[in-house]
């Protein structure tokens, strides 16, 4: 029997009030997505959600999360993601929406995409920096990420 | 070509809200958006068609689109809610201020008239209540021949559960009749939280019964053909165009003698565009030889 295949959905969480972002945790998000799937696709959808569906990674600072779904039902779950509107946190409802960035077969591919995406975001952040300190900080971050990529490429060339 | 567009963002006078809306749209990856001014026409008593506020009054700086280096493009669109046949006046002067024209028919007769004769780019379908009429294949085929697009808005579905049902029913009915072609999907919301990314929207479209390719077209190429159709509508088959001369007191040139000299050699950009359109087959009336009716009009002027 060959290996069980799954799909990893890399999503970005967009929140209207940025300070609320730090309150996000994996369990409330998991139940929010499950409720959305159940309301869109009924009992069948809820059943599809119960095997092999989990939230693997949530980064509250950047607003990135990784959801694992079985390969046979990832489209169903993906189609219900636009309908996730809010998450419960200590009785309060925090409104937010999900934007799916990448679908990968393994966590490693999603990670590779995430590294590229984050460097792109750094580039986008640079013109928006207001103080000089922020600018140097961002520039240093961009430099370190691009030298890492260069080093990786050099090593590849040496091997070849 | 992954140029994503969202052609229905209702106009709000609140500048801050509009700004966050545009920023979110740019962040999600939409290259072009259209601000929609909805006009409820009335048969008794005149109601003025609103003039679009110029862009520099609304927003200071346009945000840059995610993944590209250009700022987001913002267009003006007018949607006319017609519930009577004299609500829509062909070629009214106020329509010229808008880039895209859309009509929202509420009865079967008006829907048929809109598909056959109205000079618009988009036909909107109600998503928030049960459609009082069924779509006829004849009208839909006629609209497809003319290059019109049908619009589906998904904002109501995100807000409310009963709206979701109506949206899905109406969307399914439409897609069943026209095989998923000539449909564009747009948000129709003025809140930044109700916008969704283009790939999510394409996935949503698949719930209406469209295939993957058709769904992605609904967010990218069909929207682009709406823009091209709007341009040809403005410029009489894409061959003649009027240019505002950079003089202080000169008004815009209209159908005068100057027009006829332009017919011989359209500028190269327009020429390329017209040939591109004949390839895609969406705007079938744009060729190098305008139909005889239009030709007579230009020679008569």
């Amino acid at each position: 029997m060959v290996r069980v295949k799954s799909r990893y959905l890399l999503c970005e969480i967009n929140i209207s009030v940025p300070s609320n972002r730090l309150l996000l945790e994996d369990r409330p998000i998991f139940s929010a997505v499950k409720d959305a799937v159940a309301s869109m696709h009924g009992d069948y959808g809820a059943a599809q959600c119960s095997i092999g569906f989990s939230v693997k990674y949530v980064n509250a600072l950047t607003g990135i999360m990784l959801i694992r779904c079985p390969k046979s039902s990832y489209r169903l779950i993906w189609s219900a993601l636009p309908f996730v509107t809010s998450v419960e946190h200590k009785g309060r409802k925090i409104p937010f929406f999900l934007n799916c960035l990448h679908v990968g077969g393994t966590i490693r591919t999603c990670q590779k995409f995430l590294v590229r995406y984050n460097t792109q975001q750094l580039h986008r952040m640079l013109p928006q920096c207001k103080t000089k300190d922020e600018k140097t900080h961002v520039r240093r971050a961009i430099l370190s990420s691009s030298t890492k990529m260069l080093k990786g490429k050099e090593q590849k060339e040496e091997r070849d | 070509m992954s140029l994503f567009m969202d052609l229905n963002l209702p106009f709000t006078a609140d500048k801050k809200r509009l700004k966050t809306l545009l920023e979110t749209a740019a962040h999600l990856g939409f290259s072009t958006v259209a601000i929609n001014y909805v006009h409820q026409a009335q048969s008794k008593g005149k109601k003025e068609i609103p003039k679009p506020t110029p862009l520099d009054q609304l927003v200071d700086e346009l945000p840059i689109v995610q993944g590209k280096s250009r700022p987001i493009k913002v267009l003006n669109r007018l949607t006319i809610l017609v519930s009577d046949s004299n609500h829509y006046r062909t070629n009214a002067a106020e329509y010229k201020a808008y880039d895209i024209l859309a009509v929202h028919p509420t009865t079967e007769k008006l829907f048929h008239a809109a598909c056959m004769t109205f000079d618009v780019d988009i036909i909107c379908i109600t998503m928030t209540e049960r459609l009082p009429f069924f779509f006829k294949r004849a009208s839909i085929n006629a609209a497809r021949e003319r290059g019109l697009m049908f619009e589906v808005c998904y904002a109501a579905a995100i807000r409310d559960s009963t709206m979701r049902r109506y949206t899905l029913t109406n969307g399914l009915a439409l897609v069943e009749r026209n095989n998923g072609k000539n449909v564009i999907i747009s948000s129709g919301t003025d809140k930044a939280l109700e916008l969704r990314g283009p790939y999510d929207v394409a996935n949503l479209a698949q719930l209406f019964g469209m295939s993957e390719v058709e769904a992605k077209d609904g967010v990218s190429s069909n929207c682009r053909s709406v823009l091209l159709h709007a341009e040809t509508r403005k410029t009489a088959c894409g061959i003649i165009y009027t240019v505002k001369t950079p003089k202080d007191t000169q008004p815009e040139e209209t159908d005068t003698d100057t027009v006829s000299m332009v017919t011989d050699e359209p500028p190269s950009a327009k020429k390329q565009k017209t040939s591109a359109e004949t390839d895609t087959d969406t705007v079938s009336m744009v060729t190098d030889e305008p139909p005889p009716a239009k030709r007579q009009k230009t020679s008569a002027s």
Side-chain angles (χ1 to χ4, degrees):
Chain A
M1 185 69 199
V2 276
R3 70 191 231 172
V4 174
K5 298 198 178 175
S6 53
R7 289 279 178 262
Y8 291 88
L9 295 171
L10 190 72
C11 302
E12 186 192 15
I13 302 173
N14 298 62
I15 246 177
S16 51
V17 182
S19 50
N20 281 341
R21 204 181 275 178
L22 300 166
L23 304 170
L24 294 170
E25 286 163 20
D26 50 350
R27 277 201 173 271
I29 294 179
F30 175 77
S31 44
V33 177
K34 210 169 171 185
D35 290 338
V37 177
S39 80
M40 266 311 280
H41 301 290
D43 293 328
Y44 178 67
Q48 289 271 13
C49 258
S50 52
I51 356 155
F53 172 68
S54 57
V55 174
K56 285 288 180 189
Y57 167 78
V58 173
N59 185 336
L61 290 168
T62 54
I64 302 282
M65 62 184 239
L66 192 66
I67 306 177
R68 178 190 197 266
C69 352
K71 187 176 166 187
S72 49
S73 63
Y74 85 98
R75 286 214 157 262
L76 205 78
I77 295 171
W78 192 7
S79 66
L81 281 185
F83 296 99
V84 177
T85 50
S86 61
V87 76
E88 282 274 335
H89 178 82
K90 291 180 185 166
R92 287 193 311 163
K93 282 207 169 180
I94 306 173
F96 74 111
F97 71 92
L98 293 171
N99 175 31
C100 182
L101 302 170
H102 182 70
V103 179
T106 57
I107 296 189
R108 265 185 97 204
T109 52
C110 290
Q111 201 177 36
K112 280 189 207 167
F113 176 82
L114 193 60
V115 167
R116 278 204 326 262
Y117 182 74
N118 282 340
T119 42
Q120 209 180 53
Q121 294 298 92
L122 279 176
H123 284 283
R124 268 171 75 86
M125 262 168 41
L126 189 59
Q128 292 169 9
C129 288
K130 287 179 193 136
T131 65
K132 209 177 172 188
D133 290 336
E134 280 180 20
K135 270 200 169 162
T136 43
H137 200 75
V138 173
R139 277 206 187 111
R140 227 177 271 161
I142 294 178
L143 195 65
S144 67
S145 64
S146 24
T147 45
K148 257 190 219 161
M149 282 203 302
L150 269 177
K151 271 189 190 160
K153 274 191 190 160
E154 279 173 14
Q155 283 175 359
K156 243 191 172 178
E157 283 170 17
E158 276 176 44
R159 259 184 258 148
D160 300 335
Chain B
M1 189 181 67
S2 56
L3 204 68
F4 297 114
M5 307 191 191
D6 190 343
L7 294 179
N8 190 349
L9 296 180
F11 172 69
T12 43
D14 188 354
K15 271 194 182 180
K16 219 180 170 186
R17 218 187 205 181
L18 196 65
K19 195 169 174 226
T20 41
L21 198 64
L22 288 179
E23 278 173 10
T24 322
H27 181 76
L28 290 172
F30 288 107
S31 327
T32 313
V33 291
I35 300 186
N36 189 10
Y37 295 81
V38 180
H39 174 69
Q40 182 122 32
Q42 283 171 358
S43 37
K44 287 187 187 171
K46 250 194 166 181
K47 202 177 180 193
E48 291 284 320
I49 294 177
K51 282 210 183 94
T53 33
L55 203 58
D56 31 359
Q57 279 182 19
L58 289 172
V59 156
D60 308 314
E61 201 188 312
L62 289 172
I64 298 187
V65 181
Q66 171 97 273
K68 298 194 171 61
S69 51
R70 279 209 206 148
I72 197 171
K73 203 170 162 195
V74 181
L75 304 169
N76 287 321
R77 171 188 146 164
L78 176 69
T79 305
I80 313 170
L81 279 157
V82 280
S83 38
D84 200 64
S85 52
N86 59 1
H87 284 174
Y88 171 77
R89 293 170 285 146
T90 352
N91 294 332
E94 295 97 337
Y95 298 165
K96 284 197 184 152
Y98 293 95
D99 302 307
I100 307 176
L101 256 192
V103 79
H104 189 143
T106 44
T107 65
E108 175 148 29
K109 253 187 165 181
L110 284 168
F111 181 78
H112 189 75
C115 293
M116 301 290 216
T117 54
F118 283 6
D119 197 11
V120 289
D121 308 309
I122 302 176
I123 299 183
C124 306
I125 314 278
T126 11
M127 287 289 141
T128 52
E129 51 187 20
R130 278 198 77 94
L131 272 177
F133 58 93
F134 291 112
F135 297 117
K136 273 197 254 172
R137 262 192 209 258
S139 342
I140 291 192
N141 283 340
R144 203 198 299 181
E145 300 267 311
R146 289 178 61 208
L148 301 184
M149 294 283 162
F150 297 97
E151 185 192 41
V152 169
C153 290
Y154 62 80
I158 294 176
R159 270 179 232 147
D160 192 30
S161 170
T162 31
M163 293 296 161
R164 207 179 286 177
R165 282 191 207 161
Y166 290 138
T167 310
L168 283 172
T169 329
N170 296 345
L172 280 165
L174 175 69
V175 169
E176 189 195 358
R177 286 281 154 213
N178 70 352
N179 297 331
K181 305 206 177 110
N182 282 46
V183 174
I184 62 168
I185 304 136
S186 53
S187 59
T189 175
D190 54 357
K191 289 191 202 161
L193 273 177
E194 288 174 5
L195 276 180
R196 293 291 182 264
Y199 293 108
D200 286 331
V201 173
N203 223 341
L204 206 69
Q206 291 183 39
L207 283 178
F208 296 137
M210 297 163 79
S211 72
E212 270 195 54
V213 176
E214 289 161 4
K216 199 167 171 219
D217 277 349
V219 204
S220 54
S221 15
N222 285 353
C223 296
R224 194 170 135 78
S225 57
V226 164
L227 292 188
L228 292 173
H229 188 269
E231 275 212 47
T232 58
R233 192 173 41 80
K234 265 187 170 180
T235 63
C237 295
I239 299 171
I240 311 163
Y241 74 115
T242 55
V243 167
K244 219 168 192 161
T245 48
K247 286 184 195 160
D248 329 54
T249 49
Q250 193 98 342
E252 200 177 309
E253 297 174 41
T254 45
D255 288 358
T256 53
D257 298 331
T258 50
V259 166
S260 46
M261 79 179 169
V262 184
T263 39
D264 293 330
E265 282 174 11
S268 49
K270 278 264 162 9
K271 216 179 197 169
Q272 283 170 6
K273 224 187 253 174
T274 50
S275 57
E277 281 159 9
T278 46
D279 286 345
T280 55
D281 221 20
T282 47
V283 187
S284 47
M285 56 184 184
V286 182
T287 49
D288 288 324
E289 285 178 1
K294 279 256 144 73
R295 215 184 219 165
Q296 281 169 6
K297 212 199 250 179
T298 54
S299 55
S301 70

